[in-house]
Amino acid sequence: MTDPATRRRWRGWHGLVGWLLALVSGVAGAVLHDEPFVPPVLPDLPVQVLTQARHRVQSDLAGLGPAPAEPGAVLDLPEPTRSEAWTPVALPRFEPRDPARAEDPARVAQVDWILLEPERPEVAADQAGAPLALYLPRVVGAAVLVAVHDGQAWRLRWDGREGRREQWNRPVLVDLGAVPPPGRPLRLAVGLLRLEGAETRLAAPQ
């Protein structure tokens, strides 16, 4: 048995709970009866496994500061068409540890830039906004930078310097934006930021 005051308190709580349930039910009903969201239909673009690339080493961050930069920053990298600035390499890539440099206390950071030139996917005119992505299954021993050439300059797309310590056992997936317009080649650059003499591994990008 309960006293009248207790019963009044319980009735008050029951009324409040009932009001809240009615409110939630009304909101849910309004949402359920609204027009459903229909995502745009985008083409299923083919996956390209890249085994050929071009390479260069820079002893700076291509114009970036010491802290991670925002996407869109312009990078000081040579134009992709300058063949003398890039050396052909095969992928996947393994750079062994250099004991002579690795033990040098004066060693500095460097960026191994890997220039990728995948085929531009063919899409219909009404699907020109189809998104592209770069997938790096495995990167060991380096922080990752990703740049995209927009036809005029190299622009940063991803700065992974903050996740350098955890990155060795995690794949990297970078949104590259929309498929470039017809006539513009698709050119990407993957930067592996490491100390001189350090071992690095890069799986074949996709």
Side-chain angles (χ1 to χ4, degrees):
M1 296 295 291
T2 57
D3 60 79
T6 301
R7 288 197 295 271
R8 284 195 298 271
R9 285 196 298 271
W10 275 106
R11 284 197 296 269
W13 278 109
H14 286 167
L16 177 59
V17 171
W19 179 81
L20 289 174
L21 288 175
L23 176 62
V24 171
S25 177
V27 172
V31 172
L32 290 175
H33 286 86
D34 197 4
E35 288 296 326
F37 171 72
V38 179
V41 178
L42 296 175
D44 186 10
L45 301 181
V47 175
Q48 300 180 48
V49 180
L50 306 176
T51 59
Q52 299 295 322
R54 290 186 284 160
H55 169 256
R56 72 175 280 107
V57 176
Q58 287 192 201
S59 57
D60 56 36
L61 295 180
L64 293 175
E70 293 295 324
V74 176
L75 301 183
D76 184 17
L77 288 173
E79 288 294 307
T81 53
R82 286 182 52 193
S83 57
E84 77 282 1
W86 302 89
T87 304
V89 293
L91 301 172
R93 180 172 172 80
F94 170 60
E95 189 74 26
R97 181 176 181 272
D98 182 353
R101 298 297 300 148
E103 303 299 330
D104 185 355
R107 65 178 179 162
V108 297
Q110 68 179 41
V111 184
D112 293 354
W113 288 101
I114 311 294
L115 172 59
L116 306 173
E117 298 177 282
E119 294 182 7
R120 178 190 175 276
E122 294 297 330
V123 297
D126 60 343
Q127 295 178 327
L132 291 174
L134 174 67
Y135 177 60
L136 305 176
R138 187 169 175 80
V139 180
V140 178
V144 174
L145 302 165
V146 176
V148 177
H149 198 277
D150 64 2
Q152 297 182 345
W154 286 104
R155 293 189 178 275
L156 182 70
R157 193 73 190 182
W158 168 264
D159 191 332
R161 283 180 280 174
E162 285 188 341
R164 179 175 181 173
R165 295 182 180 276
E166 297 81 19
Q167 190 170 268
W168 66 273
N169 65 344
R170 297 180 182 178
V172 177
L173 182 64
V174 180
D175 175 15
L176 299 177
V179 175
R184 184 199 297 172
L186 181 57
R187 290 183 172 124
L188 320 170
V190 175
L192 304 179
L193 174 61
R194 65 189 178 103
L195 291 174
E196 290 180 322
E199 175 185 313
T200 58
R201 295 176 184 267
L202 173 65
Q206 301 176 25

